[in-house]
Amino acid sequence: MATNRTFTMLKPDAVEKGHIGAILEKITASGFRIVAMKLTQMTAADAKEFYAIHKERPFFGELVEYMTRGPIVAAVLEKDNAVEDFRTLIGATNPADAAEGTIRKLYAASIGENAVHGSDSDENAAIESAFHFAGREMF
Ligand code: UDP
Ligand code: MG
């Protein structure tokens, strides 16, 4: 299904390693327009809510620790077929399985510290964008 917007986070490992510029360049060079963007840091409560779907998983505690340990870049991206095309651009959750040239293949260290988030559906893209940019006119 065609869609226009997705939501991304450049995660703490990507920011710590100085990859903000390179990753944003790859995103915009791939045809995504940045609709909203901010450098921010999630609290534990934020991360628990954002990843609530994973709360019973064994990695949940580590995921919350990781996502809150430093700044992230949160952004809303626009492109035809944005959700699916962005998931293709970032590659598989585990960088060991990610295709050559994908953001996770290039910049992720492990399945846990995998550099970037991408929404998995139009519905979640809208929920996640509102979570990070609530109150903005566009949402
Ligand atoms: N994650 C992890 N261990 C796993 C699976 C996932 O630490 O075995 C982390 C990883 O940071 C991942 C996030 O939890 O990006 C959300 O998992 P999901 O399965 O939704 O992967 P994604 O949609 O990010 O590819
Ligand atoms: Mg996911």
Side-chain angles (χ1 to χ4, degrees), residues 11 50-51 53-54 87 93 104 117-120 124 128:
K11 296 180 175 184
F50 189 90
Y51 284 113
I53 194 167
H54 295 306
R87 293 289 300 201
T93 306
R104 282 169 167 167
H117 169 83
S119 305
D120 62 6
N124 283 334
E128 292 169 0

